Amino acid sequence: MDLLAGLREIVGDTHVVTDPDAVAPYAQDWTRRWHGKPLAVVRPATVAQVSAVVRACAAAGVPLVPQGGNTGLVGAGVPQDGEVVLSLARLDSIGPLDPLGKTLMAGAGVTLAQVQRTAREAGLDVGLDFSARDTATVGGIAATNAGGERVMRHGVARFRIRGLEAVLADGSVVRRMSTVAKDNTGYDLVQLLIGSEGTLGVITAVQVDLIHPRKIIGTALVAVSTVDDALTVLRAVQHDFPGLEAAEFFHHDGLQLVLKHERRARPFDRPHPLYLLFDLSDGDGRPDAGEELTELLGGLDCVRDLVVVSTSAERRRLWELRELQTDAVSAEGVPVKLDVALPLNQLSTFERRLAGVVRPVARHAMPILFGHIAEGNVHVNLLNALDEDAEGAVMEAVLDLVASLGGSISAEHGIGLANARWLTLTRSSADLAAMRAIKQALDPEGILSPGRMLPDAAPALKRP
Ligand code: MLT
Ligand code: ZN
């Protein structure tokens, strides 16, 4: 029996999609940089169906790539030619929520926004947030160990996930959802699968660890001249306000793109080189925190301009200036998109040297930098550089600089196809050998997401 017929038998005719128009949204990523021609998109509705689909693909020797909301940015969830896209979108059941143990079960296809809503209705929260919340799914968040805007307070996704269910390459189902907070029994398969980007298993459900919510009582937009000034402000705010919930940054050029493409109002009368955005929570138990923050920032010589707001509409308006940077960059063109992290004491050196390493390989590149300053996480978007990057010269120039400064070549977006070539910059050969041994043990035929993450693990495609 041919593979497509077998897949139709497992999930039903309508959920094996081969029509090119219907396949298109699954076949290309959000940035339009990563795309392929899949054999089919398969949309199972249960973990049993996922298992049967994996077995069928393995038997036919056809690789598959799991896909959640398709908001990834490194080509990890986008098919290469001939692969099967395994969409987890229909695994969308949510609950139960355990208010005492503070956990919430969610199918892999549940969006972050749905998880947030369910948690908040119960007086709890998730401790994870980022701009793709309405589309990104918890399965994808777990698979990529996503980060976002709350990391400085609540950690990356792996700190927010207690349990997982996943289908391995042989179709077996591992399920580790713990009802207790302490559980030291054996290898931690949950943490191994988190961040494995679909290369070790297909995540089908997630047990989210919930937090007691903090109320955001003040949001500040602060204009400064340089990265060093930004770090001075960050240090002062962190010192005086341990309840700081978020610290983000963006530059003048990125703001200009948001004003141009997203038609938002400019925040200050005059332009500034660099902006910081802070969210302050009620965690410090200081009712006048907003005024105290205004006073602190107003007293710093390096602050050029400042606005502190408290209503949710005003907060939204400031946050859009930061969150819409991704959309605004994309409206301008397809960028070479990197996501790096620098030790904070190297951040200004990185920004200073960036143009010098990019210009020789991409003369017309226009860098748009923004990100999560508390973690030194810089999203480097290089517009007008795609042609020059055909052989990876632009990526290599930037990632070499990052590695030489002791940073990470992927802070929160993952490795996927985009960064696999450069994993050796920051991971040793012993590290890579251990990773390959794990991959070999769990997926000996290389059926799951071949070529992603590990540089040379891509098997020859067997096409039907
Ligand atoms: C963000 O922080 O806005 C996201 O990581 C998306 C991006 O980098 O474009
Ligand atoms: Zn980010």
Side-chain angles (χ1 to χ4, degrees), residues 30-31 71 73 129-132 147-149 248 322-327 329 337-339 370-372 377-381 412-413:
W30 194 90
T31 65
T71 58
L73 296 166
D129 201 17
F130 48 81
S131 57
E149 299 155 1
E248 303 278 310
R322 160 63 185 89
E323 287 197 337
L324 289 172
Q325 303 261 328
T326 308
D327 301 62
V329 165
K337 207 166 175 54
L338 299 102
D339 157 48
F370 58 89
H372 317 283
N377 183 181
V378 188
H379 298 314
V380 180
N381 294 260
E412 60 173 13
H413 293 171

